[in-house]
Every structure is written in C-alpha cells, then in structure tokens.
Amino acid sequence: MQAALLEPETVRLLGKRDGVSWDTVFERMRTETYHRYATIRCPSTALDEAEEKLDEIHDRLERAADATSWDWRVVCSLIVSGALTALVFGGLLALLVTLLVAAAVMFTLFWRRAAAWVHLTACLAAGALGIAWLVQRFELGVCAVRWGEDLEAEGTGRVVPELVHHMLGDDPDSLFIPDDYDWGLRAPRAPGFVVENGARRQLERKLSHIEDGTIAVCGPRGAGKTTLLEQVVKKAGFGVIVQAPATYTPQDFLLSLSVRLCEKYMRDAGYEPPELARLSPARQLLRRVKFQAKRLGRWSSFAVPAAALLVLGLFASVRSLYAQYAASIAEFVRAHAASIRDDSIGIWQGHAVVASITVAVAGIVWWKARHEDWLLRLLGRLLVRGSEVLGVLLPVVSVATVLLDGQIRGQILHLYRTQQEALIRTASYVGGLALVWWLLRLTRDAGIKFPLGRWHISLEAWFRPLAAVAGTYLLVYLIANPQTHALLSDPENPLRLAGIVTGVLLSRAGGWSPRPEEPELVGECRSHLYRLQTIQQSTHGLTTGGAAQVLSLGTNHTTSVSTIPPNYPELVEEFRNLLRRIAAEKVGQGKTVVIAIDEVDRLGTDSQALAFLREIKAILGVPLVHYLISVADDVGAAFVRRGLPHRDVTDSSLDDIIHVQPSTLKESRTILAKRSQTLKDPHIMLAHALSGGILRDLLRYGLQMREVQDKAQSFELTHISRHLVLEELAETFAGFRTLLSKQRWTRETSDVLASFRTLSDYLRDPCPCTQAEVLHTLEQFAFYSHGTRPDTPVAGGEPRTAASEELTGDARELIDEASTYAYFSLTLLDVFSTDRLEHRTQLAAEQGPDGDPERLADARRELGISPYSARPMIDTIRKAWSLPLGSTTTSPAPPSPGDCPRHNRTE
C-alpha cells in the first residue's frame, strides 16, 4: 500500500484538495471495506494451498515426534555429523563403509524387533518430515511474495488511485498540476512530437499517384502548413524548402532557390559547397595551409615513431634475408635483361621480321587505346587482385612456417616431456587471461549506457582502461613466462612478423582507390554558384623604363573582365535545365524530388500572393519534380473556383490543392497528450476552444496554462480558466481600443469609448474584491446588441442614447466584434469556471450537436469571419449548455468590508 501511495501519479494528486493527504488515504485504506476491496481483486488460491500443505506436514511431524521418546533433532544431527566426519577425514570410501555399517546395524535391529528400531525409524521419519517442512515453508514464502506482487499491481495499485480520485470529489481531472518534463510544449517545432494527420496522408497519396506537378497547401495561419512541408521534404529522397518573405522580389527569390538547390545537391553527392564571400584569398590560403600543417603534424607524430620502431625491430631479419637472396635475384635480372637487349638489337637490325611487325602493331594498338579506359581498368584490376592475393598469402605462409620449424617443434616436445604440468598450467592461465581480455573488450564495445541517480554510466568509459590493463598484463606474462619466452625468442620470428606486416600493407594497398573524379553535375552546380555569387575580374599591366630615373618612360594598361549576373529569363532557363538534370538522376535512383515554397501567405493580400505566383510560374512544371506551395485560404479559394467565369493565375499554375484544416477535438487530444502528461481532458477542451483548433495557438495555450497556474497559485481549472480567459480578453480589448482610437469621435459619442475604457481597466488587473463587478460589466458588454432599440444597454450597462447612434460604420463594426468576442469569452467562463464540468458536459451532449465541446472551437473560428454569424452560433451553444441568453444580473453592491489580499481592505 505504501508503494502505491508513493507512485508519482498518486503523489502529484495528494495535497491538492482539502482532505486528500497521505495520512487520510492511508487511514482509509486500512479500513475493512477497502482492505477487502483490494484483496478480492487478487485471489490467493496458491498461497492458501501452500499454507494448508504446510499445516498438514507440521501435523505429521508432530505425530512422528510423539511416537518416540527420543529427541529426533539430536538423533538426526548425530547421524548427519557422523556422515560428514567420515567424508571429511576418510573420503568417499570411508563414507561408503560407514553407510554399509549403518545399514547392517539397521537390518539387525529390524530383525530382532528391538525397541531401538521403533525409536530410530520414528526419528528418521520426523527428520524427513522436518526437511519437507522447510521446503514447504520456502514454497509458502515464494507464494506469499508472488501474491504480494499481484496485490501491489492489481490490488492496492489500482484501488489507491481510485480512492484518491474518489476523495478528490467532482472533476478530479480538472486539477492542473504542472510538470517539469513538458518538453513537447516548450519546443513546439521539436521533430519527435509530430502527429500523423489526414492532410499529410492525403498529400503523400497525391505525391505517389502523380509523376510531377504543383500542389498548393492552403489553410489558416498556424494550422501546421510549415510542419507538413518540412515532414514531406524530409521524407523525400531529395528535397529543398525555401521561404518566401514579403521583401523578396521574384528574381531574388529564384537566386536564393538556385543557391539552395546547388548546395543541397553538392552535399548529397559528398562535396562541400565553395565558401564564397567569407574570407580574403590570402586568409583562405593561410587557413588551408594551417589545416594541412596540423593534419600532417598529427599524422607524423604517429607515423614516424611507428615506422622507426618497426624498422628497428625488423631491420636485422630483413637485411639477412636480403643478403641471402640478393645475389640470386640480381643474377636472374641480369640474365633476362641481356636476353631482352639481344632481342631488341635483333629487331633493330632487321634480323627478326615477325617480331618487328608484332612490335609495330603493338605500338599502333597502344596509341589507339589512348581514348579507351579498358586497358587501364584491366591493369588496375590485376594490380588489386595481385595485392589482395599476396596480402593473404604472406601472413598465412608466415604463420604456417611455425608448424614447419623443427626447432620450435623440438622446444615444444621438450617442454611437454620435462615440464608437462607447468606447460598445462601456463596454457590454462594464458587462456583465462585471453578470455578475460576478450570479455572486457566485448563489454567495452557494447555501447551500453544506463542512468544511476544523477549520473549516466558508460560501459566504454569504465571498461576501456580495464581492457587495456588486461591486454598489457597478458603480453607481459607471455614475455616473462619461461615456457612462452623460449617460443617467442625463436630467431625466425622477426622475419615472420615482417611477412605478416607486409601482407597487411599489401591487402590495404589492394583495396585503395583514388578519389573518383568530381561528377559533371556537381561541377556544373559549383560553376553556377560562382556565377550567381561572385564577380570575376582580371587585371593586366605593362611598364617600361629608361636607365636614368629622370629619363624613364613607362606605360600601364589595366583591363577588367566581370561576369554579368544573369537576367531573370536566363536565370529561369538555367534553373530549369539544372533541376531537370538533377531530377532525372534522382528519380533514376528511385528517389522523389520535392521543392517546397513556404510562407507565400506572408506576402500580404491575396492579390500580392497571386502576383508572386504569376512571376514564378516560369519555374514550375519541371518534369519529375513535385512543387509544394504554401498559400493562404483565399488563394486556395481562387483555385477551387477554377472553370467558373472568374479565372486567375491559379488555373494554370496549380495542379491540385490540399486543405490543412484546423484540428478536431480528437486530434487536439492526440497532439497534446503526446506532448504533455500534465494536460488532462478538461484542459485540452479549454485550449481547443480558445485556439479554435489552430495548431500554433493550441500549443501556445497549453503552455500558457502553466504560466497562469503559477500566477493564480491554484490547481483548479475553475480558477485557471478564469484567469486565462480574462487575460486573453484584456489583450484582445487592448487591440480593439487601439483600433478604436483611429476612429473619429465626438463629445456625444465618447460615452461608448469611456465605457469601453472602463471595461478594459477592469480586465487588465482584476482582483477578488472587484470580481463581481468585472463579471457584471463583461456580461453587460457581451449582451450589447447592434440593433436600434434605444433601451439596449451599451458597455458598462448604460442605455444607448441617440448620440450613440451617430457612431460611424467602422467604429460600430469594431464594437460589435468586441462585443461578440466578449460574448464568446463569457460563454467559456460559464462553461469552464463552474464546478462539475464533467457532469455538465454529459448533459450538454444530450442536447444534440450544439452541446458538443467541438462547437466552441467552431464558434471561435467563426469569429474570424463575421461577428454577426458567430453570435447566433454562440446562442445555440449557450442554449445546449443551459446558459442564459441575456443579462440576468443586476448592478453588484459595493464590496462588503473584509480582507482583500491585494488592496488590504479591512474594517
């Protein structure tokens, strides 16, 4: 039970509401009701059977002990002690003799029907039952442990959380308890929290069904269009994503896209793009020289000492081998060189006609083969194969000579005959050390890391020095041991080592190949980057002079040649040709090519976005290339109207369109549940309603709840939602008041602006002593009607006067928008700032679709279209939630004397 109370999810809930603490839950669980409720979930059949069997064995043991007057414990102890004494001091043979004697004595007692036989058999039976009792007692303990684990997992592990939720009362999930591990909310663009949605699946289907084309991705801002493009580009075989800020001209945009395309292709091909306009040529040269010097110094610090040690160790053996075979090799070379010289003289003097013709034909063939690479490939292949064969044979032959060496075989036989035990002991010790060294290396290279408190233990860091120590000790032991030292000191061993080293070097040389030549397309991308990003100049000068300084005469002539940046049509043509060749290569490798253009909706109005599409239309339609363009809803609406009398650039620029819709409540639950374990269903409902399902705002409100909770110092959703909604309302009204300040006001119409200021002041810094007044003022403004009835209240509850009818159309429309937004905010306060949210949600769902929490997000999105269509929708929602459709409160009385934590109001 204590383990269940110490579970992190349970600990987070303790102390958050009155009467729900560790002590109260512990005392409640100790009552008979909850004790039985927890144990009934875990049947103890196996434990009961083991306990019954233990009692049965215990009863039989007592009956066997009562059947004799001897103490069975003493008798059994003496028998066991005697057997152990015989085994220790006499060995197995003595133990066998003792058992035979004991069997003879037992048979004699049985034959004579002696009383000792009855007592002895009873003691032996009691001893056997005692052993059985111990075994059964152990089995009972095992069953008890298993039952305890089941009770903790299925009993108290489930009952305690249910009890805590029951003691929390209504809406336990409405408690907002912040966590320090909500990384998904703190990093909205983190790649590990992307959730699959319908828009992505639809886009991937379209990309798989068409070979190329231009697809527009439209949707409201913040709906996740950029994330969708990034995921598709990341999944594609070759993809480039570029932004289209409003300050870009089409030519600047195409220049940027061309540069990104070339750099992306060069990096995919394994080549770094040239660094342009970063350092002066002198500094670049100095930087390259410094890098090469550093690289050469590091290589030399290892290569020179290693070569020196290798030459020192093998020089004597190699020199003796050279002295032994140098004369024979030289004689062989001289003989063949003389034969070749005689044949050449004979051909030169015309004595070998056939050989002359053969040599001439060979010269012609060799000249003709200058444009063919098959001969070079053949020679290279023969060189590689020969090096690989020699690289394998030399180590094998070097090791095989050990078995053929009579001296080594004689030493091994001599050691085996004279020091057999020492040789076996040495071999066992060497094998054990080698096994330990291998196990340490295996553990070192396992790459396992595990947390230990605040530290992270890496097996590589711990076992690397241990493996080095074990290997060094093994080597030192082999050298210092007399049995192995005689084998290692064989005079032919350096020569064998030289053969092994030479074979390894030959095998490595056979596998070496020069770096392949830079592909033509990579070179073209490099040249394209130089042309787009540099201006090339060349200067020529000539100076002449006389002998005397005063009579000197000189001329200096300088010419400059610069590359002309390509104009827009030329740039388009070069880009299309380059992209076409890249696409053909990538598609031939089984990859897709995607060019994504994001943030086109930043260009301002829909006319500016359409003008931008019209300008870049020339780069679209490249074969085998998929273009994805992020556009706003209005551009998408223009494409949907294709074929109707109204036609624009989207008819010929776009091939298809994908609508990224705001997320539904179900999708919002999936998104926020993956990013945070703190947000429960009521909090997700509130964030979804405030954001309207827009992904960016959904994550912002999810993170903002923590800030509001820290400010309100409360875990209850009723308090958090009130602070969050009023803060959002205050910020929105501040924006409305800024827009209202740009309108023209008169003395007669300023009462509306004054009442608006009063409401903004209330919302900006509410406190408990003015809460009723704030809600009353907000309610009056929310039910402010844009009708013409003179008795309709305006902001602040004042009746509309004839002067207020003189408001301009823009000012009236802004106030109507603010009033409808206040109406929506008031609805959120009525829904989420009242207790028993779960019960009221169920009652509202019974009223039909208008009672679905999804309708709150629909109303929020409708506010972005028109306040006049949003207000009737909010009316239907309030009706389904049984909320009043008009002002029901009167002017609040002045705050009664009492304590106010902010203003310190006292009697």
Side-chain angles (χ1 to χ4, degrees):
M1 182 170 57
Q2 293 182 357
L5 284 171
L6 293 176
E7 285 292 327
E9 289 298 323
T10 303
V11 172
R12 294 174 68 250
L13 297 175
L14 298 177
K16 300 304 184 292
R17 284 183 179 173
D18 295 337
V20 187
S21 62
W22 198 95
D23 295 332
T24 56
V25 176
F26 187 80
E27 291 298 328
R28 184 75 67 87
M29 283 295 300
R30 294 182 63 182
T31 60
E32 183 179 356
T33 302
Y34 283 97
H35 181 272
R36 184 169 57 253
Y37 185 55
T39 55
I40 202 174
R41 290 169 171 256
C42 304
S44 58
T45 305
L47 179 62
D48 296 337
E49 292 177 354
E51 189 173 3
E52 292 177 0
K53 191 174 182 179
L54 181 67
D55 293 338
E56 181 183 353
I57 295 175
H58 186 265
D59 294 338
R60 293 171 58 188
L61 175 62
E62 289 184 347
R63 288 196 299 269
D66 294 338
T68 177
S69 60
W70 293 2
D71 191 340
W72 65 273
R73 298 179 182 84
V74 176
V75 174
C76 293
S77 299
L78 290 175
I79 293 174
V80 173
S81 300
L84 291 177
T85 302
L87 177 64
V88 172
F89 293 99
L92 292 175
L93 182 62
L95 178 62
L96 180 60
V97 172
T98 303
L99 292 177
L100 292 176
V101 172
V105 172
M106 292 287 293
F107 181 76
T108 303
L109 294 175
F110 170 74
W111 182 261
R112 294 184 176 184
R113 302 290 181 178
W117 164 255
V118 178
H119 293 291
L120 187 58
T121 54
C123 290
L124 292 177
L129 290 173
I131 295 175
W133 184 87
L134 289 176
V135 173
Q136 187 61 30
R137 183 67 182 84
F138 177 78
E139 183 179 354
L140 178 63
V142 172
C143 294
V145 171
R146 292 176 180 174
W147 183 76
E149 294 175 352
D150 294 340
L151 181 64
E152 181 179 347
E154 302 295 333
T156 57
R158 294 180 179 271
V159 174
V160 169
E162 293 176 0
L163 176 60
V164 171
H165 278 74
H166 174 70
M167 295 177 66
L168 288 173
D170 296 331
D171 301 331
D173 288 338
S174 65
L175 287 173
F176 181 80
I177 305 171
D179 198 344
D180 293 333
Y181 300 99
D182 291 338
W183 302 111
L185 296 177
R186 298 184 181 185
R189 290 189 174 273
F193 300 99
V194 177
V195 177
E196 189 81 14
N197 57 10
R200 180 176 176 180
R201 290 190 291 269
Q202 183 183 6
L203 180 56
E204 290 180 350
R205 284 196 302 269
K206 290 184 179 296
L207 291 178
S208 62
H209 292 160
I210 61 176
E211 188 178 55
D212 51 55
T214 303
I215 300 176
V217 179
C218 73
R221 292 183 178 179
K225 300 190 297 295
T226 300
T227 303
L228 176 61
L229 295 183
E230 290 175 350
Q231 292 300 314
V232 173
V233 169
K234 183 178 180 180
K235 189 176 181 180
F238 180 84
V240 176
I241 182 170
V242 291
Q243 310 293 326
T247 55
Y248 271 23
T249 62
Q251 184 166 1
D252 293 336
F253 168 77
L254 188 52
L255 282 171
S256 174
L257 179 57
S258 301
V259 171
R260 293 287 299 276
L261 177 67
C262 294
E263 291 179 348
K264 172 69 175 177
Y265 178 79
M266 293 183 68
R267 288 193 176 96
D268 283 356
Y271 296 86
E272 281 298 321
E275 297 183 2
L276 307 174
R278 292 186 179 180
L279 297 174
S280 64
R283 294 191 62 182
Q284 288 183 0
L285 178 60
L286 181 61
R287 189 175 181 180
R288 286 195 296 269
V289 170
K290 181 180 178 181
F291 174 76
Q292 294 296 338
K294 183 178 180 181
R295 184 179 179 183
L296 180 61
R298 177 178 175 81
W299 180 83
S300 301
S301 63
F302 289 92
V304 173
L309 294 175
L310 192 62
V311 170
L312 180 63
L314 303 178
F315 179 73
S317 299
V318 174
R319 183 182 58 185
S320 63
L321 183 66
Y322 174 79
Q324 183 177 357
Y325 296 103
S328 301
I329 295 175
E331 182 64 27
F332 178 80
V333 171
R334 283 195 297 269
H336 284 76
S339 176
I340 295 173
R341 184 179 65 253
D342 294 340
D343 293 340
S344 300
I345 293 174
I347 294 172
W348 181 260
Q349 294 177 352
H351 300 303
V353 178
V354 177
S356 301
I357 296 174
T358 303
V359 170
V361 172
I364 296 172
V365 171
W366 181 261
W367 172 253
K368 290 294 185 181
R370 70 186 188 279
H371 297 300
E372 302 292 338
D373 55 354
W374 63 269
L375 184 59
L376 295 177
R377 286 202 306 268
L378 177 61
L379 294 176
R381 194 175 296 114
L382 291 176
L383 179 62
V384 170
R385 299 303 181 190
S387 300
E388 291 178 351
V389 172
L390 287 176
V392 174
L393 287 179
L394 279 177
V396 172
V397 171
S398 300
V399 175
T401 55
V402 176
L403 303 177
L404 302 177
D405 194 331
Q407 182 178 356
I408 294 180
R409 289 202 308 270
Q411 291 178 354
I412 295 176
L413 292 174
H414 176 71
L415 290 174
Y416 182 76
R417 292 168 183 170
T418 58
Q419 304 179 20
Q420 181 177 359
E421 294 184 1
L423 186 62
I424 295 175
R425 185 169 56 253
T426 300
S428 302
Y429 195 67
V430 169
L433 286 177
L435 180 62
V436 170
W437 176 64
W438 180 76
L439 290 176
L440 290 176
R441 282 173 52 88
L442 188 65
T443 308
R444 179 198 66 184
D445 300 334
I448 299 176
K449 295 182 180 180
F450 58 92
L452 182 62
R454 295 179 298 174
W455 297 277
H456 290 272
I457 306 301
S458 174
L459 294 183
E460 182 181 4
W462 284 88
F463 284 88
R464 179 177 292 276
L466 295 178
V469 170
T472 304
Y473 181 73
L474 175 60
L475 182 61
V476 171
Y477 179 80
L478 289 174
I479 296 175
N481 188 268
Q483 287 78 24
T484 58
H485 181 76
L487 301 177
L488 294 176
S489 60
D490 186 74
E492 300 296 329
N493 283 340
L495 188 58
R496 296 187 182 98
L497 180 60
I500 294 174
V501 173
T502 305
V504 172
L505 292 177
L506 284 175
S507 62
R508 294 291 300 272
W512 176 85
S513 61
R515 184 174 181 179
E517 185 181 358
E518 184 178 84
E520 180 183 355
L521 197 51
V522 172
E524 188 169 339
C525 287
R526 188 184 305 276
S527 300
H528 195 58
L529 286 175
Y530 274 109
R531 186 178 182 191
L532 295 178
Q533 296 181 304
T534 64
I535 296 179
Q536 304 172 12
Q537 294 181 345
S538 61
T539 303
H540 306 275
L542 174 63
T543 302
T544 61
Q549 183 176 2
V550 293
L551 298 178
S552 63
L553 178 62
T555 63
N556 192 359
H557 179 70
T558 302
T559 61
S560 177
V561 180
S562 301
T563 59
I564 302 176
N567 53 31
Y568 189 68
E570 185 180 358
L571 182 60
V572 168
E573 186 64 25
E574 291 182 0
F575 174 80
R576 289 180 64 89
N577 291 334
L578 185 62
L579 182 57
R580 184 185 300 110
R581 296 180 60 186
I582 292 175
E585 177 183 316
K586 295 298 181 181
V587 173
Q589 299 172 358
K591 300 179 181 179
T592 58
V593 179
V594 176
I595 304 295
I597 303 174
D598 193 18
E599 303 294 354
V600 176
D601 50 358
R602 284 186 182 178
L603 295 177
T605 62
D606 57 343
S607 59
Q608 291 175 324
L610 292 175
F612 180 79
L613 288 178
R614 189 178 298 111
E615 291 291 339
I616 67 170
K617 176 183 174 182
I619 68 172
L620 304 179
V622 177
L624 306 178
V625 178
H626 296 94
Y627 282 92
L628 303 180
I629 303 179
S630 171
V631 297
D633 283 332
D634 43 14
V635 178
F639 175 75
V640 173
R641 296 197 305 271
R642 65 192 184 280
L644 298 177
H646 176 77
R647 300 177 61 88
D648 55 24
V649 69
T650 60
D651 293 350
S652 56
S653 299
L654 306 179
D655 297 314
D656 208 336
I657 192 166
I658 295 292
H659 292 275
V660 182
Q661 301 291 348
S663 61
T664 62
L665 180 57
K666 180 180 179 180
E667 293 173 341
S668 296
R669 287 193 181 103
T670 304
I671 293 170
L672 292 180
K674 189 172 184 178
R675 290 177 175 267
S676 172
Q677 301 297 325
T678 301
L679 297 174
K680 304 301 181 182
D681 193 63
H683 314 118
I684 296 175
M685 287 173 52
L686 175 60
H688 181 72
L690 282 169
S691 64
I694 303 300
L695 179 60
R696 184 186 303 162
D697 293 336
L698 180 70
L699 301 180
R700 180 172 65 87
Y701 285 120
L703 184 60
Q704 194 171 351
M705 284 187 189
R706 168 149 191 178
E707 301 176 8
V708 174
Q709 186 276 332
D710 186 61
K711 180 179 179 180
Q713 292 297 309
S714 175
F715 301 102
E716 298 293 343
L717 179 64
T718 53
H719 300 158
I720 295 174
S721 61
R722 182 180 297 113
H723 282 79
L724 181 59
V725 172
L726 291 181
E727 281 188 4
E728 289 295 310
L729 195 59
E731 294 177 1
T732 305
F733 275 14
F736 274 115
R737 196 164 188 273
T738 301
L739 296 176
L740 288 172
S741 65
K742 299 178 181 180
Q743 305 297 323
R744 298 187 62 182
W745 298 92
T746 63
R747 180 178 299 178
E748 290 76 11
T749 59
S750 61
D751 57 342
V752 175
L753 193 61
S755 59
F756 198 94
R757 183 187 66 251
T758 302
L759 179 59
S760 300
D761 293 340
Y762 279 144
L763 293 175
R764 185 172 60 251
D765 193 22
C767 69
C769 63
T770 60
Q771 181 176 347
E773 197 170 350
V774 169
L775 294 178
H776 172 73
T777 307
L778 178 62
E779 185 179 83
Q780 293 297 320
F781 185 77
F783 289 108
Y784 162 77
S785 175
H786 55 277
T788 57
R789 292 183 301 164
D791 57 342
T792 301
V794 296
E798 300 177 2
R800 177 177 295 184
T801 62
S804 64
E805 299 293 338
E806 299 179 1
L807 293 174
T808 62
D810 293 340
R812 184 180 301 281
E813 185 176 355
L814 287 173
I815 292 180
D816 288 340
E817 291 178 4
S819 174
T820 307
Y821 186 79
Y823 190 29
F824 173 73
S825 301
L826 181 65
T827 303
L828 294 182
L829 290 174
D830 292 337
V831 170
F832 293 99
S833 298
T834 309
D835 295 330
R836 305 191 67 188
L837 173 62
E838 183 178 354
H839 176 68
R840 291 185 292 105
T841 302
Q842 295 176 356
L843 294 179
E846 296 174 357
Q847 303 300 318
D850 292 330
D852 191 343
E854 185 68 54
R855 295 288 288 172
L856 293 170
D858 295 340
R860 177 63 185 88
R861 292 194 296 270
E862 192 68 22
L863 283 171
I865 299 176
S866 172
Y868 306 111
S869 59
R871 185 174 284 271
M873 182 180 294
I874 299 174
D875 288 337
T876 59
I877 294 174
R878 294 183 66 86
K879 186 182 297 183
W881 284 81
S882 301
L883 301 176
L885 301 180
S887 179
T888 58
T889 60
T890 59
S891 299
S896 58
D899 295 333
C900 176
R902 178 173 300 180
H903 298 121
N904 296 324
R905 181 182 291 113
T906 57
E907 294 184 345

